[in-house]
Amino acid sequence: MIFKQKLENTTALVNRALSEFLPPADTKPEEIHQAMRYSVLAGGKRLRPVLALAAAELGGLQPEMILPAACALEFLHTYSLIHDDLPAMDNDDFRRGMPTCHKKFGEALAILAGDALLTKAFELLTWGNFPAELKMQVLREVAEAAGSQGLIGGQAADIRTEQEISEANLLYIHQHKTGELLTVAVRTGAVLSGLQGAKLEALTAYARYLGLAFQITDDILDLTGEEIKLGKPLFSDQKNAKLTYPALFGLEKSKAMAWEIMQQGLQCLDIFSEEADFLAGLLQFVVKRDY
Ligand code: GRG
């Protein structure tokens, strides 16, 4: 199947499952479930669950088996976006082409919706008929990726007002704020499908390159993208004085770096045959996308 078709099919599968796994909007207390559904179902690329499904396919797992864990990663990602948009953080009004959760439901409910999605993610990771030790491994890895030495750590470093202007600091922020969750998405699919050893290592290395290429492209799109396609205003990094690749290296060099990192990521898939074509396509999509 051609890449675009497979991406569309997989995304549709994920979207259906996300809606199914969320409590219905009329579940009491209605407002929290409406806020959770609003932010999750607002759209988005679904990159993290799609990566988990693609990695699980390499290990021979049927999509239905991995969907709860894959959707857990999207819930966790959406929680981080809701909290990142809050007035105390980036104070953004638009996300995924719609008013941010706090703009629509107020700040208190937005905080709670984020908290509830994070909690729901860990519930979903316990689902499925997988060996207990694999589930425990994934639960631990996702908790680490989301925690103060992962996503939250990256965010804490990112919101510092006094920022060290260096490549090492930029790399730290990007790897933690963005890279950790993308990496654990790939590893979740791989680990639960029983992959280990050299194949698991290769996929982990692939995911680290993908995470970096994703964030450099995200930085570039914040300057050169189209607001309609991105679903949020441009120049948000400049507004918030963020340390970014274009700020440190300029636009052209940043584009060249994203391309080079993509090539390195693709090489990690060399130990697989055409079975890894979808993962290769996803890495190329991450760099070539315009949204
Ligand atoms: C508040 C705990 C906490 C963490 C926030 C994710 C994050 C950390 C901040 C979001 C702001 C941002 C620009 C992060 C870096 C890149 C990123 C994660 C972009 C959004 O991800 P996409 O492009 O979004 O996959 P969609 O909407 O497609 O899911």
Side-chain angles (χ1 to χ4, degrees), residues 44-45 48 77 79-80 84 96 155 177-178 214-215:
K45 293 178 285 300
R48 292 142 194 88
H77 168 59
Y79 127 76
S80 78
D84 183 67
R96 294 174 165 173
Q155 179 75 350
K177 194 177 81 166
T178 313
F214 175 90
Q215 185 58 59

Side-chain angles (χ1 to χ4, degrees), residues 28-185:
K28 283 193 180 356
E30 293 86 349
E31 56 274 36
I32 181 72
H33 300 118
Q34 284 162 9
M36 290 162 77
R37 295 185 72 87
Y38 173 82
S39 286
V40 172
L41 303 179
K45 293 178 285 300
R46 313 308 193 196
L47 187 57
R48 292 142 194 88
V50 169
L51 282 167
L53 282 158
E57 193 185 5
L58 274 189
L61 214 54
Q62 290 302 312
E64 305 75 58
M65 290 281 289
I66 192 74
L67 270 170
C71 289
L73 298 159
E74 185 67 19
F75 288 163
L76 209 156
H77 168 59
T78 308
Y79 127 76
S80 78
L81 298 179
I82 294 173
H83 282 197
D84 183 67
D85 290 334
L86 287 168
M89 299 231 197
D90 277 2
N91 194 17
D92 281 319
D93 293 348
F94 285 94
R95 168 75 66 183
R96 294 174 165 173
M98 316 229 299
T100 44
C101 194
H102 66 273
K103 280 278 157 192
K104 174 94 178 155
F105 293 92
E107 216 174 316
L109 262 183
I111 294 171
L112 290 175
D115 292 343
L117 287 170
L118 174 62
T119 314
K120 186 77 189 170
F122 283 97
E123 180 202 326
L124 283 182
L125 288 171
T126 67
W127 289 18
N129 192 20
F130 299 106
E133 65 275 16
L134 295 188
K135 261 192 208 170
M136 288 298 283
Q137 183 182 341
V138 166
L139 278 163
R140 191 185 62 246
E141 286 194 22
V142 174
E144 284 172 359
S148 63
Q149 289 171 283
L151 182 76
I152 291 174
Q155 179 75 350
D158 192 40
I159 62 171
R160 280 183 187 136
T161 41
E162 295 292 316
Q163 203 58 265
E164 181 194 305
I165 313 286
S166 69
E167 187 175 3
N169 190 30
L170 179 64
L171 207 55
Y172 178 89
I173 293 171
H174 281 9
Q175 273 168 352
H176 290 80
K177 194 177 81 166
T178 313
E180 291 282 334
L181 195 54
L182 289 164
T183 302
V184 89

Side-chain angles (χ1 to χ4, degrees), residues 17-28:
L18 287 169
S19 179
E20 201 179 298
F21 295 149
L22 281 166
D26 59 0
T27 308
K28 283 193 180 356

